[in-house]
């Protein structure tokens, strides 16, 4: 699940969307995914979020649910698209009020100016009630029914959440355990919301299957429980196959034992910051020749005391958003794709310090970054190609030694166009996903940013190739600056859209909790007090 936007109002609520489509029409084999776009009033659409891709199906039921925010009042519009690769299968527009008031929302998908019906979309929505409790469940199976002719079974479990409309939604799947009737599955890590939306007595269905190497996996049996039942250490649940229940000799198809259940709080981005995690912001600026010489009016780098160029305005927009949400970060400023005249090599460099000190690239603020950038325009020859791997490697090298939650790096790349080292960048991002790093790519100008969008893992985690493992987590966000610069709130939402979840996912994966030292607690209470005081004064 991913939160769309960070619009904040007193009455703002979150809603989770469960999406499926039927009878998708296309002349080719399709692997569909659903993509959401959002706008308010007469503003342009902003990309919001996407499901995963499901290979070769015309009736997809996507496992990844999406979360949207709505205050119950804003007049906004959603564009719900179903795509396969770059092909638009069909789309439909509706308001938040329409989308969330129907249970489920059902509409035809269409294309070619709505003249061609290409399928049906079904979206069930539920208000999010409890998302901050983490669960770790350890399960074992006993006497699981044998399904293999010459062996035992290869069992795995699927967990289903019961939705308000009575349908079951798959919310978790364990790994398969080969050749056993006594499986011990790896610990299940999820949250209370995912299993039952915070309702401890809502039904949860657990199905047990036998994995088959060649044919279709074979259903063994199921059990229906509640989270209250699951959280009792040592409890057991019978797996019952309803087709066999009437037989005289049938008792069950095995049992599931709850070895241990642990409930913990999911800590938030702001809680980690209040408890002492420091943020280091690294800004890399594109000095490739595609930007145009800074003396030309047509250049994105055009420097004039009377006006600000798009790079300046983009960096200042980042300042306005990040400094409101992050207290006292540290800063580093870099350039890439140019030839700095202060370096001896006189060759294109893909990561150089804008303060001319490679041993200490620190600067004091975003304002200082802008000044170093403007100074650099007089001393940097625009060149190319546009490589990201140099500055990304720098960020990885800085993050590697500090993986205990004390420091988190936000690498911001401000660039005008395509990327010329995509395979190397994806490989580096795969490594970077292990470390405390997020990457925000800000696109300025009107270039083709399709590769930048591909780095943003909205349709599935990045892979270097089909055979390689995916990144451990999503860590890239793409922000199309020119599309959003006229609407500060939309721009702010886009910049912060994925950063908190990326940060929290790293901390959860690394098993890091905020350190509640006396000093940190006093600091957090002081911050809360000041925030409350500010709100009371404003009111």
């Amino acid at each position: 699940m991913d939160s769309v936007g960070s619009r904040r109002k007193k009455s703002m609520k979150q809603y989770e969307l469960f999406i499926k489509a039927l009878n998708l029409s296309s002349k080719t084999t399709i692997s569909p995914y659903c993509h959401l776009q959002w706008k308010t009033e007469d503003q342009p659409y902003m990309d919001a979020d996407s499901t995963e891709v499901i290979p070769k199906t015309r009736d997809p039921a996507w496992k990844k649910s999406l979360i949207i925010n709505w205050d119950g009042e804003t007049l906004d519009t959603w564009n719900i698209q179903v795509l396969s690769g770059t092909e638009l299968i069909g789309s439909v527009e509706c308001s938040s009020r329409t989308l969330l008031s129907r249970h489920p929302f059902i509409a035809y998908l269409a294309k070619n100016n709505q003249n061609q019906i290409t399928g049906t979309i079904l979206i069930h929505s539920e208000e999010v009630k409890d998302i901050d409790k983490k669960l770790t469940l350890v399960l074992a199976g006993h006497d699981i029914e044998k399904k293999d002719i010459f062996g035992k079974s290869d069992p795995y479990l699927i967990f289903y959440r019961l939705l308000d409309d009575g349908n079951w939604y798959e919310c978790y799947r364990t790994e398969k355990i080969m050749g056993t009737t006594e499986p011990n599955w790896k610990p299940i890590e999820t949250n209370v919301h995912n299993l039952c939306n915070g309702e401890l007595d809502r039904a949860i269905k657990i199905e047990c299957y036998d994995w088959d190497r060649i044919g279709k996996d074979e259903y063994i049996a199921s059990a229906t429980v509640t989270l209250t039942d699951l959280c009792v250490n040592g409890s057991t649940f019978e797996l019952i196959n309803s087709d066999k229940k009437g037989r005289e000799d049938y008792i069950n198809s095995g049992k599931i034992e709850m070895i241990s259940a642990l409930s913990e709080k999911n800590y938030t981005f702001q809680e980690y910051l209040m408890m002492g995690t420091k943020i280091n912001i690294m800004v890399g600026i594109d000095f490739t020749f595609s930007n145009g010489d800074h003396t030309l009016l047509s250049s994105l780098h055009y420097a004039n005391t009377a006006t600000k160029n798009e790079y300046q305005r983009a960096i200042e927009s980042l300042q306005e958003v990040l400094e409101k949400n992050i207290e006292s970060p540290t800063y580093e400023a870099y350039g890439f794709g140019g030839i700095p005249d202060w370096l001896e090599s006189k060759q294109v460099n893909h990561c150089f310090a804008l303060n001319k000190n490679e041993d200490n690239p620190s600067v004091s603020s975003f304002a200082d970054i802008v000044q170093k950038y403007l100074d650099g325009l007089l001393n940097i020859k625009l060149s190319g190609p546009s490589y990201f791997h140099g500055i990304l490697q720098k960020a990885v090298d800085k993050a590697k030694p500090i993986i205990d939650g004390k420091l988190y790096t936000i690498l911001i790349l401000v660039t005008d166009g395509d990327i010329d080292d995509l395979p190397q960048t994806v490989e580096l991002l795969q490594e970077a996903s292990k470390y405390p790093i997020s990457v925000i790519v800000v696109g300025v100008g009107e270039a083709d940013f399709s590769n930048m969008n591909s780095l943003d893992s909205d349709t599935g985690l990045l892979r270097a190739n089909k055979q390689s493992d995916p990144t451990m987590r999503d860590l890239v966000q793409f922000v199309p600056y020119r599309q959003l610069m006229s609407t500060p709130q939309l721009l702010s939402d886009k910049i912060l859209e994925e950063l908190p979840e990326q940060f929290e996912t790293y901390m959860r994966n690394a098993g890091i909790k905020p350190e509640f030292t006396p000093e940190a607690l006093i600091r957090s209470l002081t911050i809360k007090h000041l925030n409350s005081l500010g709100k009371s004064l404003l009111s």
Side-chain angles (χ1 to χ4, degrees):
M1 299 172 302
D2 296 299
S3 179
V4 177
S6 56
R7 292 168 276 156
R8 295 289 183 260
K9 293 184 180 181
K10 288 183 179 179
S11 59
M12 188 69 71
K13 294 181 180 179
Q14 289 187 315
Y15 297 87
E16 186 173 10
L17 306 182
F18 305 89
I19 310 173
K20 63 172 68 173
L22 300 172
N23 303 317
L24 297 180
S25 174
S26 176
K27 294 180 181 179
T28 60
T29 301
I30 57 173
S31 296
Y33 66 96
C34 184
H35 179 66
L36 299 185
Q37 293 181 318
W38 175 84
K39 71 174 182 177
T40 182
E41 298 176 350
D42 58 350
Q43 300 300 325
Y45 272 115
M46 178 179 69
D47 289 331
D49 203 359
S50 299
T51 66
E52 81 282 12
V53 175
I54 300 183
K56 300 178 182 179
T57 180
R58 296 182 185 276
D59 301 292
W62 290 284
K63 294 179 182 177
K64 178 184 174 184
S65 60
L66 307 179
I67 292 181
I68 66 172
N69 300 319
W70 190 47
D71 60 9
E73 301 173 0
T74 301
L75 298 176
D76 55 6
T77 305
W78 290 95
N79 184 27
I80 304 164
Q81 301 176 321
V82 175
L83 303 101
S84 178
T86 58
E87 177 192 359
L88 175 65
I89 305 300
S91 65
V92 63
E93 290 186 346
C94 67
S95 66
S96 287
R97 187 178 302 280
T98 300
L99 177 62
L100 300 175
S101 64
R102 299 179 184 176
H103 300 286
F105 170 82
I106 303 175
Y108 286 121
L109 295 166
K111 65 178 184 179
N112 298 332
N113 296 320
Q114 308 301 309
N115 292 326
Q116 181 184 354
I117 302 299
T118 55
T120 303
I121 192 90
L122 296 90
I123 302 178
H124 179 83
S125 62
E126 283 193 2
E127 183 182 338
V128 175
K129 299 173 183 174
D130 189 345
I131 204 165
D132 67 350
K133 289 189 179 67
K134 174 186 172 184
L135 286 173
T136 303
L137 308 176
V138 181
L139 299 173
H142 300 297
D143 299 319
I144 302 298
E145 185 176 305
K146 296 180 182 180
K147 288 292 183 180
D148 295 341
I149 297 174
F150 300 108
K152 297 181 180 180
S153 287
D154 307 317
Y156 65 90
L157 301 177
I158 302 178
F159 285 72
Y160 296 89
R161 167 176 160 186
L162 181 63
L163 302 183
D164 289 341
D165 64 358
N167 288 314
W168 293 100
Y169 169 78
E170 181 180 332
C171 57
Y172 195 89
R173 185 177 293 221
T174 69
E175 80 285 7
K176 59 184 178 292
I177 306 295
M178 303 298 289
T180 182
T181 59
E182 301 288 324
N184 288 282
W185 291 283
K186 293 178 182 177
I188 295 169
E189 294 188 352
T190 183
N191 58 53
V192 171
H193 166 78
N194 192 38
L195 289 179
C196 60
N197 198 20
E199 297 178 15
L200 301 185
D201 294 321
R202 181 186 289 206
I204 300 167
K205 183 166 66 174
I206 306 173
E207 291 184 341
C208 185
Y209 283 84
D210 172 45
W211 177 78
D212 195 306
R213 187 182 303 275
I214 300 174
K216 185 179 179 181
D217 294 355
E218 188 172 0
Y219 171 72
I220 296 176
S222 67
T224 301
V225 299
T226 67
L227 191 59
T228 301
D229 300 328
L230 279 176
C231 288
V232 178
N233 292 343
S235 57
T236 59
F237 313 98
E238 288 188 307
L239 291 168
I240 302 296
N241 187 321
S242 58
D243 292 338
K244 299 180 179 181
K245 197 172 180 180
R247 299 179 187 177
E248 274 188 34
D249 59 343
Y250 182 74
I251 300 175
N252 58 52
S253 298
K255 293 182 180 180
I256 299 173
E257 180 185 1
M258 176 58 65
I259 305 299
S260 68
L262 177 64
S263 175
E264 299 177 281
K265 177 180 170 59
N266 267 332
Y267 295 100
T268 66
F269 179 56
Q270 288 298 333
E271 285 175 312
Y272 280 100
L273 297 187
M274 286 192 295
M275 292 302 121
T277 297
K278 297 296 184 183
I279 301 293
N280 182 42
I281 296 175
M282 296 174 60
V283 177
I285 300 174
D286 185 344
F287 286 92
T288 56
F289 46 65
S290 58
N291 287 281
D293 188 273
H294 74 276
T295 61
L296 301 175
L297 185 61
S298 60
S299 172
L300 291 168
H301 285 310
Y302 179 65
N304 186 302
T305 55
T307 60
K308 296 177 180 180
N309 66 35
E310 198 162 322
Y311 276 86
Q312 287 176 265
R313 285 182 279 130
I315 295 169
E316 289 174 358
S317 296
L318 290 162
Q319 174 183 4
E320 291 173 9
V321 175
L322 295 177
E323 288 188 347
K324 284 180 182 178
N325 292 275
I326 300 170
E327 185 183 5
S328 303
T330 54
Y331 303 90
E332 298 175 21
Y334 298 90
F336 63 92
I339 304 174
D341 66 5
W342 63 83
L343 297 181
E344 293 182 5
S345 68
K346 306 305 178 188
Q347 294 180 343
V348 62
N349 191 302
H350 301 294
C351 182
F352 52 89
L354 287 180
N355 69 355
K356 304 180 182 181
N357 185 344
E358 299 299 328
D359 295 326
N360 182 15
S362 298
V363 294
S364 60
S365 63
F366 269 109
D368 198 12
I369 292 173
V370 171
Q371 190 57 55
K372 295 292 188 294
Y373 155 68
L374 293 174
D375 294 343
L377 288 174
L378 305 176
N379 303 291
I380 300 168
K381 180 181 178 181
L382 304 186
S383 186
S386 182
Y387 286 168
F388 283 6
H389 69 264
I391 191 167
L392 182 56
Q393 186 65 65
K394 177 78 72 173
V396 171
D397 291 343
K398 285 180 173 289
K400 270 185 181 180
I402 309 174
I403 57 174
D404 58 359
K406 297 290 197 306
L407 182 69
Y408 194 90
T409 296
I410 302 173
L411 171 61
I412 302 171
L413 301 175
V414 190
T415 181
D416 80 315
D418 208 353
I419 175 175
D420 296 313
D421 61 340
L422 186 62
Q424 298 96 315
T425 296
V426 173
E427 287 182 7
L428 255 179
L429 287 171
Q430 190 170 11
E431 180 185 3
S433 68
K434 306 172 187 175
Y435 303 110
I437 300 174
S438 282
V439 181
I440 300 175
V441 182
V442 180
V444 297
E446 295 180 322
D448 177 9
F449 291 113
S450 56
N451 278 334
M452 307 303 173
N453 274 310
S454 72
L455 296 177
D456 193 335
S457 305
D458 284 342
T459 57
L461 293 176
L462 280 174
R463 295 177 184 268
N465 54 65
K466 290 183 179 179
Q467 287 73 41
S468 68
D469 293 329
T471 54
M472 293 183 66
R473 59 188 176 93
D474 178 18
L475 71 159
V476 181
Q477 170 72 345
F478 174 65
V479 179
Y481 176 72
R482 185 168 288 190
Q483 291 181 27
L484 304 171
M485 63 183 184
S486 62
T487 313
Q489 185 58 55
L490 293 185
L491 179 61
S492 173
D493 288 350
K494 193 65 175 177
I495 292 169
L496 287 180
E497 184 175 70
E498 297 180 7
L499 176 61
E501 177 61 25
Q502 292 173 2
F503 177 99
E504 292 160 15
T505 300
Y506 170 78
M507 295 297 186
R508 285 197 301 269
N509 289 350
I512 298 169
K513 300 177 183 179
E515 288 191 6
F516 290 90
T517 62
E519 296 81 6
L521 281 170
I522 292 171
R523 179 171 170 271
S524 69
L525 290 171
T526 302
I527 292 172
K528 290 178 181 177
H529 171 72
L530 291 174
N531 286 340
S532 299
L533 179 61
K535 290 176 182 177
S536 65
L537 289 174
L538 287 172
S539 60

